[in-house]
Amino acid sequence: MSQEPVSLPSALASFTEQWSPRIVTAVNDYDVRIAKAEGEHVWHVHDHTDEFFLVLDGELHIALREPDGERTVVLPKGSVFTVPRGTEHKPYAPVPTEILLLEPTGTSTVGDRHDEVPAHVDATTGHALN
């Protein structure tokens, strides 16, 4: 990882793919990833790690399947939310949205278990910034 500052607006401007995170830096054993999102992701679960979301622009909805049933949290710009490990969830962006994620290095974007991955979702552990 570079030891130089990273401009998030420049990093976000460097790619157009949706649901295809770029790794901007690392903190201990965690990747700090940014992604563009629009439309639906896929139901998935991370068995061993929480997943942190920060909405940089736009709006992100995260459907959650919890013991008490299904609910959806709505994250406007500037909001943060952590999906607890083991919670099945499905992000959805009703408008073009930019997000920052914090996950252990090597964490798959589609978790440990998931529904069939649609073509517009990149099943990856993150891509380096170009």
Side-chain angles (χ1 to χ4, degrees), residues 32-66:
V32 178
R33 303 173 182 178
I34 54 170
K36 294 181 176 185
E38 188 171 10
E40 296 192 1
H41 195 267
V42 63
W43 280 106
H44 66 285
V45 62
H46 300 280
D47 289 328
H48 306 290
T49 184
D50 301 337
E51 187 172 21
F52 171 88
F53 293 85
L54 164 62
V55 178
L56 301 170
D57 196 26
E59 181 177 281
L60 187 69
H61 298 200
I62 304 174
L64 304 162
R65 290 180 176 155
E66 298 174 315

Side-chain angles (χ1 to χ4, degrees), residues 1-20:
M1 286 284 146
S2 169
Q3 292 303 308
E4 295 299 320
V6 175
S7 161
L8 291 181
S10 295
L12 284 158
S14 73
F15 65 98
T16 58
E17 295 85 2
Q18 302 290 319
W19 303 113
S20 183

